[in-house]
Amino acid sequence: MDFISENASSLTPSLTLAVTNKAKEMKARGEQVFGLAGGEPDKDTPENIKQAAIKALNEGATKYTPSVGLPALREAIAAKLKRDNGLEYGIDQICVTSGAKPAVYAALRAVINPGDEVIIPSPYWVSYPSMVQLCGGTPVLVETKAENGWKITAEEFENAMTPRTKLIIVNSPHNPTGAVYSEEELRAIGEIAVEEDILILADEIYEHLIYGDATHVSIAALSPELYNLTITVNGFSKAYAMTGWRLGYTAAPAEIAKAIKLSLDHTASNATTFCQYGAIEALNGEQTFIADLKEEYDFRRQYVYDRLSKMPKIHVVEPKGAFYFFIDTTELGMGSLDLCEKLLERYKVAAVPGIAFGNDHAIRISYCTSLDVLKEGLDRLEEFCKKS
Ligand code: PMP
Ligand code: GLU
């Protein structure tokens, strides 16, 4: 008897988590490994945030909260969305979740019917297609081009549309390419979404990690029509180095927020109570951590870009946000899984195969690791490129 559901059978492993965990295990066994795979900041969570959670825990914040989160946290999120993104949401439009990943999933669950098509620009963050499939929807992958900075154009969006199209996922700054959509590009995409009545899931988890002359624009803030079509997803993992705390949120039109709330009521319930107090402090307290993180990552980004640009047989587009480089490895002439395995086994460098993001001719490396590790890891990658 086949016990596994069709939905579950369609899933493939999350290679971002698999490679990162393998590198961590190798390190724990005392093996030397230069981890360039990770998708989490190398810094610890700021002390003021930790202390706020510890205080809450000591004071007995150990019970359930509303499944959509503490009102005080939703107020802090509403204030943040207004301050940073020019977005006005009432607290009933905000749902706190156990990470941005569950926020994306809860959002999709709230709006996707079996057979609905979801447009996902490819390369894409590893989990989007699987989440769409779990909802019974059909992921429609639209190849983006390096020469367009890995961004979907309005024309490509329009061409991918069918009568079944329900939603498009816009992730800016983008994982894995580091692409950042300009206001003009978002307006062009938004215009089509409004014309065709297509929902938008805006994953803005990397909004603060943005470099040079790039600026972050929230598509929901561009017009009342777009506000009514957009579910904005964000969280605490990247900006405040809180990946293990598991905290994220959605901000959506009231009707969609209500549907997300109902599904959280019956599935996850609330994000960990004392962690929510840490999140309130993250948003309301001192923000210097973000500026420092950004400055340091920008320095590393420039260093890595300079190194990669000079390496033989590989090509990169300068990333303007997040903390990744998506490296075109076509000239190395092997599939991305083979390539990453060789790189790890022989050169002790961990990178994520591009196939995890829908492109088998690329690998992703992260620069959310120390300069020493980056330098040695890149020396080894260079050696690998020369010898391959
Ligand atoms: N969206 C993107 C684009 C991501 O890279 C990640 C990575 N973690 C998430 C969502 C999920 O974040 P979280 O750790 O808060 O679940
Ligand atoms: N989002 C990060 C990454 O892409 C963390 C791993 C994950 O959640 O998939 O590496």
Side-chain angles (χ1 to χ4, degrees):
M1 179 134 139
D2 197 357
F3 291 120
I4 306 303
S5 70
E6 279 172 32
N7 270 350
S9 304
S10 71
L11 296 177
T12 50
S14 166
L15 285 172
T16 49
L17 293 176
V19 180
T20 315
N21 288 335
K22 185 166 177 188
K24 282 182 184 170
E25 272 167 34
M26 286 171 72
K27 244 190 225 159
R29 285 200 301 268
E31 285 182 50
Q32 189 187 41
V33 48
F34 299 90
L36 306 185
E40 56 187 347
D42 54 332
K43 307 286 170 201
D44 197 1
T45 305
E47 199 53 33
N48 61 319
I49 300 175
K50 285 194 199 175
Q51 287 310 324
I54 291 166
K55 181 166 178 284
L57 186 57
N58 285 334
E59 288 174 359
T62 56
K63 306 291 184 221
Y64 294 134
T65 73
S67 56
V68 288
L70 290 161
L73 175 52
R74 284 179 286 133
E75 263 157 30
I77 292 168
K80 175 260 175 257
L81 289 167
K82 192 165 178 190
R83 175 176 81 222
D84 296 347
N85 311 91
L87 286 165
E88 296 264 1
Y89 287 100
I91 68 166
D92 290 342
Q93 293 175 270
I94 292 165
C95 301
V96 176
T97 54
S98 302
K101 193 182 275 189
V104 173
Y105 187 52
L108 291 171
R109 280 233 78 107
V111 297
I112 299 303
N113 285 313
D116 283 348
E117 291 180 0
V118 173
I119 295 181
I120 305 177
S122 175
Y124 48 78
W125 178 49
V126 61
S127 296
Y128 297 142
S130 299
M131 291 194 207
V132 170
Q133 278 165 348
L134 279 172
C135 296
T138 306
V140 175
L141 307 176
V142 178
E143 295 297 326
T144 58
K145 299 184 186 75
E147 59 265 33
N148 292 336
W150 298 113
K151 292 182 265 191
I152 190 170
T153 63
E155 201 187 348
E156 287 164 342
F157 174 28
E158 194 154 29
N159 290 342
M161 201 103 64
T162 77
R164 305 236 50 162
T165 308
K166 181 75 171 272
L167 181 142
I168 179 169
I169 298 183
V170 179
N171 170 217
S172 179
H174 187 260
N175 178 4
T177 65
V180 176
Y181 286 74
S182 67
E183 178 172 338
E184 204 186 346
E185 288 159 344
L186 290 176
R187 277 195 190 281
I189 291 168
E191 211 170 286
I192 295 165
V194 169
E195 247 167 53
E196 306 281 341
D197 223 16
I198 306 294
L199 292 170
I200 299 164
L201 191 150
D203 181 344
E204 305 188 348
I205 185 92
Y206 295 100
E207 69 169 328
H208 290 299
L209 294 169
I210 200 156
Y211 315 106
D213 56 4
T215 49
H216 174 71
V217 176
S218 290
I219 194 164
L222 293 180
S223 72
E225 291 80 8
L226 283 168
Y227 178 93
N228 288 331
L229 288 173
T230 304
I231 308 168
T232 301
V233 169
N234 209 326
F236 297 82
S237 293
K238 316 292 170 172
Y240 300 100
M242 290 170 72
T243 47
W245 292 61
R246 310 311 300 131
L247 285 165
Y249 56 89
T250 58
E255 193 192 7
I256 297 178
K258 196 172 151 204
I260 295 173
K261 175 192 179 299
L262 290 175
S263 86
L264 292 175
D265 277 358
H266 291 294
T267 54
S269 290
N270 61 280
T272 306
T273 302
F274 52 87
C275 289
Q276 292 189 50
Y277 285 90
I280 295 172
E281 173 61 21
L283 293 176
N284 292 347
E286 179 64 57
Q287 300 294 305
T288 46
F289 177 81
I290 296 178
D292 293 346
L293 189 71
K294 177 172 146 154
E295 192 182 313
E296 190 162 338
Y297 282 8
D298 193 16
F299 184 80
R300 295 181 195 174
R301 178 186 71 106
Q302 292 179 44
Y303 169 74
V304 177
Y305 185 50
D306 185 53
R307 292 287 312 268
L308 291 175
S309 304
K310 292 178 186 146
M311 285 187 202
K313 302 180 202 155
I314 58 169
H315 304 278
V316 278
V317 176
E318 183 185 356
K320 295 290 173 66
F323 39 57
Y324 307 108
F325 276 83
F326 200 60
I327 306 173
D328 181 336
T329 55
T330 312
E331 281 177 43
L332 292 172
M334 57 187 117
S336 63
L337 283 165
D338 275 358
L339 196 159
C340 285
E341 191 162 327
K342 265 193 196 135
L343 203 54
L344 186 59
E345 297 301 329
R346 297 192 193 160
Y347 292 81
K348 305 295 172 202
V349 174
V352 183
I355 193 75
F357 314 102
N359 182 332
D360 203 23
H361 307 290
I363 60 170
R364 186 193 80 178
I365 64 165
S366 316
Y367 49 95
C368 45
T369 187
S370 73
L371 262 185
D372 286 348
V373 171
L374 278 174
K375 186 179 173 310
E376 182 67 28
L378 290 170
D379 287 349
R380 287 162 177 252
L381 178 65
E382 188 163 8
E383 202 52 30
F384 176 83
C385 292
K386 282 182 184 156
K387 292 204 173 132
S388 294

